[in-house]
């Protein structure tokens, strides 16, 4: 009896300490989205002076740095050194844990305000080098995008389904947000639509692929005259956006379309121009968009067109089984976590809506093993170049957008390209 009791006395304070440590880690995690810290932490100021502070001060010091960084230039200001995960594991409280020495590589890891690694290069981290370095070029690398993304953005959590299915109400991330960041207030209409479409995946063949290579084809004029069509057609999943045509541009943009992601104002208006065998994927930006979708799914006459900022398609010549609703989480994640647009209490506001292209890339990060993009980015130094590959509108026609923040969005896409998470086939990003 006695040994057990003294054991208990020894173990209890340890449990308490362990719990305190754990909860401070949680708090830290909650407040700053960083992994719990254990050892002395080096924080790097804007000037780049590293200083070492004792553990107790960690939370405060990080807070101070983050606070002061608000006055600095966005994007590159905040630097928080990421440390090892705690050596004391949460479940077992072993009495003699020898603190692990910080690995010199890890000490150099500095993250920006959003949580992206500051120093990006296309090199594979050692653990990925072991897994992928040995695969020959052109072989699909299973899990590559997830691994690469996590290495530059440790907060990344992969499983997010592409489309809404009948369990959508359980998706905690989005059930509290209004469109475009969630579906609140639209539950009934979505339920009705999903009960009719009855399909919530790609197709059996694509869903069963062990490794999926995806390409997102943007609409930029930068696609013109590069003859990338056959290269684009090699991908397993080819995503196109809004009304961007294929016919007449096959040489440059390819001929296949797995899905076309669309909002009402962007939908192809001429019913003859819809390609067969592609999914019509709906992305809602406003509550009334769902009403439009219901009318399209049920082939009703279009009613109540106020609230759209331009004319919308009157019919979508697709069977309900070929229609899907894109998970709105991708809009939310792209806006607030990846690009860092203003949260505005979770409501649509000035400059906080990501472009459909960024949303599609976000979807691909979660659902593809390899991701390429083409037709993204504008070269402002050539104002007379065409804005889109399919029309004559010049680049100079771009106006300051109220909804999007193109420059901030580009910062995000640059990170992905620079780190080699995605491949930019047209080098426009
Ligand atoms: C790749 O890995 C295999 C074993 O998995 C090994 O036999 C082969 O030598 C490696 N190739 C290269 C180029 O490292
Ligand atoms: C592409 O090539 C055609 C024919 O050579 C030319 O008329 C057109 O201006 C080119 N477009 C661009 C964007 O360079
Ligand atoms: C885009 O973001 C930058 C930096 O946060 C800000 O200065 C600019 O006003 C934003 N633009 C729009 C259109 O919201």
């Amino acid at each position: 009896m006695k040994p057990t009791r003294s054991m208990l006395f020894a173990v209890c304070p340890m449990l308490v300490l362990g719990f305190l440590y754990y909860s401070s880690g949680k708090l830290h995690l909650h407040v700053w989205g960083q992994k719990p810290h254990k050892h002395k932490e080096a924080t790097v100021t804007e000037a780049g002076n590293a200083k070492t502070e004792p553990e107790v001060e960690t939370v405060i010091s990080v807070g101070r740095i983050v606070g002061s960084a608000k006055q600095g230039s966005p994007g590159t200001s905040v630097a928080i050194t990421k440390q090892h995960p705690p050596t004391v594991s949460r479940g077992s409280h072993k009495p003699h844990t020898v603190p692990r020495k910080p690995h010199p590589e890890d000490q150099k890891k500095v993250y920006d305000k959003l949580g992206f690694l500051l120093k990006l290069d296309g090199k594979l981290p050692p653990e990925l080098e072991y897994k992928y370095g040995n695969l020959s070029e052109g072989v699909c690398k299973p899990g590559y995008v997830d691994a690469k993304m996590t290495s530059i953005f440790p907060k990344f959590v992969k499983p997010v389904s592409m489309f809404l299915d009948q369990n959508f109400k359980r998706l905690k991330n989005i059930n509290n947000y209004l469109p475009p960041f969630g579906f609140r207030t639209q539950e009934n209409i979505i339920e009705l639509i999903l009960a009719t479409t009855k399909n919530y995946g790609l197709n059996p063949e694509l869903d069963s692929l062990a490794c999926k290579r995806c390409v997102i084809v943007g609409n930029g004029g930068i696609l013109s005259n590069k003859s990338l069509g056959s290269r684009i057609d090699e991908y397993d999943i080819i995503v196109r956006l809004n009304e961007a045509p294929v016919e007449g541009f096959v040489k440059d943009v390819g001929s296949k379309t797995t899905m076309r992601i669309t909002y009402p104002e962007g939908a192809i208006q001429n019913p003859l121009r819809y390609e067969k065998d592609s999914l019509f994927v709906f992305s809602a930006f406003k509550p009334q968009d769902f009403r439009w979708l219901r009318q399209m799914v049920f082939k009703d006459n279009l009613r109540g067109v106020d609230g759209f900022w331009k004319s919308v398609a009157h019919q979508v010549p697709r069977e309900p089984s070929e229609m899907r609703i894109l998970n709105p989480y991708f809009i939310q994640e792209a806006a607030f976590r990846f690009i860092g647009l203003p949260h505005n209490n979770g409501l649509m506001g000035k400059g906080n809506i990501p472009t459909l292209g960024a949303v599609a890339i976000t979807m691909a990060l979660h659902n593809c093993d390899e991701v390429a993009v083409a037709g993204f980015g504008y070269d402002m130094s050539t104002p007379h170049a065409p804005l889109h590959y399919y029309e004559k509108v010049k680049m100079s026609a771009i106006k300051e957008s109220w909804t999007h923040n193109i420059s901030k969005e580009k910062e995000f896409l640059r990170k992905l390209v620079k780190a080699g998470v995605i491949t930019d086939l047209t080098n426009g990003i």
Side-chain angles (χ1 to χ4, degrees), residues 181-198:
F181 306 115
F183 55 73
R184 196 155 64 89
T185 68
Q186 302 300 307
E187 292 87 348
N188 294 344
I189 201 166
I190 294 174
E191 233 164 21
L192 194 65
I193 292 167
L194 294 179
T196 307
T197 64
K198 294 194 178 70

Side-chain angles (χ1 to χ4, degrees), residues 20-32 34 36 90:
L20 281 178
Y21 172 72
Y22 174 71
S23 30
S24 74
K26 283 284 250 202
L27 180 72
H28 196 164
L29 193 76
H30 180 72
V31 175
W32 301 113
Q34 293 287 319
R90 286 169 187 177

Side-chain angles (χ1 to χ4, degrees), residues 275-287:
E275 56 272 284
K276 294 200 170 49
D277 307 322
S278 83
L279 292 176
F280 177 86
V281 176
F282 169 79
S283 180
F285 283 83
K286 310 181 286 318

Side-chain angles (χ1 to χ4, degrees), residues 113-144:
K113 198 157 50 180
L114 290 168
F116 283 94
L117 195 63
L118 267 188
K119 209 168 139 245
L120 299 172
D121 56 42
K123 278 195 236 133
L124 285 170
E127 67 277 12
L128 297 186
E129 181 70 47
Y130 179 75
K131 189 168 175 197
Y132 297 117
N134 196 3
L135 290 179
S136 52
E137 188 105 6
V139 175
C140 184
K141 307 180 190 69
Y144 184 80

Side-chain angles (χ1 to χ4, degrees), residues 54-222:
E55 188 193 336
V56 208
E57 277 192 52
T58 297
V59 174
I60 305 159
S61 69
V62 171
R64 199 162 58 218
I65 300 279
V66 171
S68 71
K70 288 215 172 92
Q71 298 131 24
S73 61
T76 52
S77 48
V78 178
I80 298 164
T81 303
K82 189 176 137 61
Q83 292 286 319
H84 294 283
T87 33
V88 181
S89 68
R90 286 169 187 177
S92 63
H93 302 279
K94 290 200 195 110
H96 299 294
T97 316
V98 182
R100 199 155 55 97
K101 268 199 186 143
H103 192 279
E105 278 297 315
D106 279 9
Q107 271 192 317
K108 278 186 276 174
K109 288 193 177 171
V110 180
Y111 293 81
D112 70 16
K113 198 157 50 180
L114 290 168
F116 283 94
L117 195 63
L118 267 188
K119 209 168 139 245
L120 299 172
D121 56 42
K123 278 195 236 133
L124 285 170
E127 67 277 12
L128 297 186
E129 181 70 47
Y130 179 75
K131 189 168 175 197
Y132 297 117
N134 196 3
L135 290 179
S136 52
E137 188 105 6
V139 175
C140 184
K141 307 180 190 69
Y144 184 80
V145 162
D146 177 27
K148 209 65 203 350
M149 184 66 180
T150 307
S151 76
I152 66 157
F153 186 77
K155 284 186 270 183
F156 187 68
V157 181
K158 182 174 184 249
V160 181
S161 64
M162 246 183 216
F163 310 126
L164 293 187
D165 62 24
Q166 288 184 301
N167 293 323
F168 74 97
K169 285 191 196 163
R170 296 192 204 145
L171 300 172
K172 292 212 169 48
N173 287 320
I174 49 175
N175 63 12
N176 262 325
Y177 283 84
L178 293 170
F181 306 115
F183 55 73
R184 196 155 64 89
T185 68
Q186 302 300 307
E187 292 87 348
N188 294 344
I189 201 166
I190 294 174
E191 233 164 21
L192 194 65
I193 292 167
L194 294 179
T196 307
T197 64
K198 294 194 178 70
N199 288 270
Y200 318 107
L202 287 164
N203 65 41
E205 190 200 342
L206 289 175
D207 286 335
S208 64
L209 278 184
C211 193
K212 297 187 189 72
R213 303 174 75 227
C214 305
V215 62
I216 318 295
V217 184
N219 302 351
I222 195 165

Side-chain angles (χ1 to χ4, degrees), residues 6 8 24 90 98 135 184 192 195 200 220 247 279 283 290 316 320 326 336 344 359 388-389 405:
S6 49
L8 268 177
S24 74
R90 286 169 187 177
V98 182
L135 290 179
R184 196 155 64 89
L192 194 65
Y200 318 107
E247 208 185 310
L279 292 176
S283 180
F290 282 102
V316 172
L326 191 71
F336 306 141
N344 193 33
V359 173
H388 295 138
Y389 69 81
N405 194 325

